[in-house]
Amino acid sequence: RKYGHIHIPLIEWSGRYEIRREDNILVPIEYMTPEALMKYAEAQYSNYSKKRTCYARRYSVMNSVLDDYRDYLLMNDALKLDMTNSFILYPKDLKTAHDQRMDLFSPGQLEIYNQAIASLHHELSPVYSFSRSSYLIRLPKSAEEICQEGAALHHCVQRYIPDYVKRKCILLFLREADAQEKPLCTLEVQGHRLM
């Protein structure tokens, strides 16, 4: 890990909240400024401290917010998501975003999802993949690709991965024919309805 210059406000902030894990600070500041980390963590801490839910109890201590944030950032990095994208770096609801990533990273779960998605791609491509004019529609190839799609287009398509592998919906990617890897639009099909 890179160690930059000493940032006194961050040290004071860490002391005020009695931050115990060094990597709860070092991991996030690999992706953002210390000021951005403090601002985001404060906002998440403040949002949950006003609620009376089990999440609020979990986030009643800044260390818990930072534990989840560190894990969330590392999981996104492992998925090779764009770690300069503010949509990825600063989810509106950290707990929900964290839990969605944790589902993917449960022991063996990502591999299970990837195998199921690859199988669906092979089986359903003849039915759902097509091109017309300068556009094409295709199925996703992996769970990572679905997460990358959501990150690029600033939406939460990754939350549909379990439904997709259970065939409760079909996920489709709209692309320009000459830029097939660049996300343009994500489509969800449920029954005969396009969502």
Side-chain angles (χ1 to χ4, degrees), residues 1-7 10 22-34 37 74 77 83-84:
R1 292 203 188 337
K2 297 180 283 189
Y3 292 88
H5 68 283
I6 295 173
H7 192 274
L10 182 60
E22 186 178 276
D23 59 340
N24 279 352
I25 300 297
L26 295 177
V27 168
I29 63 173
E30 287 185 25
Y31 306 107
M32 66 196 65
T33 65
L37 167 61
L74 290 172
D77 201 1
M83 297 304 288
T84 63

Side-chain angles (χ1 to χ4, degrees), residues 10-66:
L10 182 60
I11 292 170
E12 292 171 347
W13 182 83
S14 298
R16 186 169 59 249
Y17 285 107
E18 300 176 359
I19 306 304
R20 294 186 299 267
R21 290 190 64 171
E22 186 178 276
D23 59 340
N24 279 352
I25 300 297
L26 295 177
V27 168
I29 63 173
E30 287 185 25
Y31 306 107
M32 66 196 65
T33 65
E35 293 81 8
L37 167 61
M38 292 183 290
K39 180 180 177 182
Y40 180 74
E42 289 274 354
Q44 292 299 309
Y45 178 77
S46 175
N47 287 344
Y48 279 100
S49 67
K50 297 173 188 171
K51 299 178 183 179
R52 297 195 179 279
T53 65
C54 61
Y55 291 157
R57 285 192 299 276
R58 166 95 174 116
Y59 281 3
S60 65
V61 176
M62 182 62 81
N63 279 296
S64 296
V65 174
L66 293 174

Side-chain angles (χ1 to χ4, degrees), residues 120-184:
L120 285 169
H121 185 272
H122 177 74
E123 178 186 342
L124 300 176
S125 281
V127 175
Y128 288 99
S129 297
F130 64 93
S131 62
R132 184 156 293 137
S133 300
S134 58
Y135 295 96
L136 63 89
I137 290 181
R138 70 171 180 82
L139 291 149
K141 299 173 187 169
S142 68
E144 292 93 342
E145 186 179 43
I146 293 171
C147 291
Q148 291 164 359
E149 176 92 354
L153 297 178
H154 294 198
H155 60 55
C156 57
V157 69
Q158 70 273 359
R159 77 177 197 194
Y160 296 103
I161 292 173
D163 286 347
Y164 179 53
V165 300
K166 293 175 189 170
R167 298 178 183 235
K168 291 182 178 179
C169 69
I170 300 293
L171 299 176
L172 301 170
F173 295 163
L174 175 65
R175 300 286 197 258
E176 290 183 18
D178 58 352
Q180 295 184 18
E181 298 306 314
K182 183 180 178 188
L184 182 61

Side-chain angles (χ1 to χ4, degrees), residues 95-115:
K95 187 64 182 152
T96 300
H98 171 270
D99 291 352
Q100 287 174 349
R101 290 297 185 264
M102 282 301 292
D103 178 54
L104 289 175
F105 282 89
S106 296
Q109 192 63 47
L110 184 60
E111 186 57 35
I112 291 168
Y113 282 147
N114 279 335
Q115 288 175 0

